[in-house]
Amino acid sequence: MYKNILYEIEGAIATLTINRPDKRNAVNYDTVEEIDQALTQVEKNPELRVLILTGAGDKAFVAGADIRELDKRDTILGRTETRRRQEVYTRIEQLEIPSIAAINGWALGTGLELAMACTIRLASTKAGLGQPEVKLGITPGAGGTQRLPRLIGMGRAMEMILTGDPVRAEQALAMGLVNRVLEPDKLMPEVKKLAETLATRPKLAIQYAKEAVLRSAEGSIAEGLAHESYLHALSCGTMDKKEGVASFLEKREAKFTGR
Ligand code: COA
């Protein structure tokens, strides 16, 4: 069904792999549309609890936008293409379920932007992360100037974006751009372990908590606190809240139902 991605499901975990390893998984227009279609599949499947995003092969997560297409991008396409990517990446960010970027190699340009739209990022020691757009005479356009400073702070984001130079995995870890760095063969097992943990947590509490945390990056603290309070109130009305509290008081394992 897909040409440029793989979409696989294992239990409650879906894995979307950008699959153009001979082009270092560079994302072209068709790939963006395929990611969007896969997101519709994710949203329509109520059994899913976590989405993993990764890149095929051992060299790249995603080495940026397809530079062959960039060659033809003029002002008009520059606007439509970036709006489309922003829309699709924001869809990942706003999914009800959390997503994990398994950064197995280069995450450059749109690749880093894709990883930053995910809820959590884990990287292999082979990863390199950067926004090299200025080296091509352009600026980031799929969220880089907005999500990078929110994740690592203004000064460090400025340095990465204005030099265009990538950081290695360990530097990304020190900046908080990734949560953990693992040997390449340990990356997917660790990502899956984290995904399994998230999948065991009560579904609605995860959904509301994720939404509240995302809101912290926007607007005022007063609005964020009000939103947090309403989401907390909603979580108090769930069956899983009854079960979670009862299981603690009765000293037993909780059996969550996602309701
Ligand atoms: N767009 C299109 N093709 C790309 C690509 C991209 N962003 N990144 C890599 N490729 C292609 C190369 O053109 C090459 O194709 P070919 O075999 O048909 O010539 C193939 O992938 C392998 O690339 P190569 O540079 O030989 O791989 P490498 O492992 O030595 O280096 C990178 C990997 C990621 C460091 C290097 O490919 C690179 O710098 N890519 C561009 C990164 C970039 O500027 N991205 C931002 C775009 S906004």
Side-chain angles (χ1 to χ4, degrees):
M1 177 180 168
Y2 295 118
K3 230 173 62 206
N4 301 312
I5 67 167
L6 301 171
Y7 178 70
E8 294 152 308
I9 295 174
E10 216 181 313
I13 299 165
T15 302
L16 194 166
T17 306
I18 311 296
N19 190 28
R20 302 179 73 214
D22 54 334
K23 297 293 172 204
R24 302 298 180 262
N25 302 320
V27 165
N28 59 12
Y29 303 150
D30 290 346
T31 309
V32 175
E33 296 312 316
E34 290 189 10
I35 295 171
D36 194 50
Q37 286 164 33
L39 294 175
T40 300
Q41 284 189 272
V42 171
E43 283 177 346
K44 283 188 173 163
N45 186 341
E47 305 303 321
L48 291 181
R49 302 295 309 283
V50 183
L51 172 66
I52 295 171
L53 264 102
T54 193
D58 60 358
K59 297 222 164 61
F61 173 73
V62 167
D66 192 310
I67 298 177
R68 279 165 193 83
E69 287 184 347
L70 267 185
D71 192 33
K72 299 182 191 79
R73 197 184 272 185
D74 58 10
T75 313
I76 308 274
L77 277 176
R79 175 74 173 138
T80 50
E81 285 310 319
T82 50
R83 282 188 70 179
R84 182 66 183 136
R85 270 168 212 237
Q86 288 177 357
E87 187 176 67
V88 173
Y89 294 3
T90 298
R91 202 172 167 201
I92 296 171
E93 180 181 67
Q94 305 287 332
L95 281 174
E96 288 185 348
I97 60 171
S99 51
I100 307 172
I103 306 175
N104 52 312
W106 290 107
L108 299 175
T110 211
L112 181 52
E113 293 173 320
L114 184 60
M116 289 192 294
C118 292
T119 318
I120 296 170
R121 284 151 294 284
L122 268 53
S124 111
T125 48
K126 288 175 76 173
L129 300 87
Q131 297 283 167
E133 287 87 344
V134 292
K135 293 180 176 173
L136 297 169
I138 54 174
T139 60
T145 67
Q146 302 306 300
R147 292 196 174 101
L148 191 59
R150 281 169 167 82
L151 275 169
I152 64 172
M154 180 83 83
R156 285 186 287 220
M158 282 289 194
E159 186 174 343
M160 282 182 70
I161 291 171
L162 302 190
T163 64
D165 290 335
V167 295
R168 303 305 312 181
E170 288 298 337
Q171 290 170 280
L173 179 66
M175 290 175 175
L177 187 50
V178 301
N179 287 20
R180 290 199 263 302
V181 174
L182 299 128
E183 289 302 324
D185 61 328
K186 303 273 173 4
L187 177 65
M188 278 321 274
E190 183 69 11
V191 165
K192 288 200 170 149
K193 199 171 120 202
L194 175 60
E196 297 287 354
T197 300
L198 292 170
T200 64
R201 300 289 187 250
K203 186 178 182 180
L204 294 172
I206 290 281
Q207 178 188 324
Y208 301 155
K210 176 173 173 259
E211 189 183 325
V213 175
L214 277 176
R215 188 60 73 97
S216 74
E218 301 163 13
S220 67
I221 192 158
E223 282 167 333
L225 288 172
H227 195 68
E228 177 187 76
S229 171
Y230 283 123
L231 285 165
H232 174 86
L234 262 185
S235 70
C236 287
T238 64
M239 308 274 285
D240 280 347
K241 180 260 180 183
K242 281 198 184 72
E243 171 62 12
V245 173
S247 69
F248 177 82
L249 296 175
E250 292 161 18
K251 299 185 191 303
R252 59 173 175 81
E253 280 291 308
K255 288 202 184 81
F256 294 119
T257 57
R259 308 192 79 81

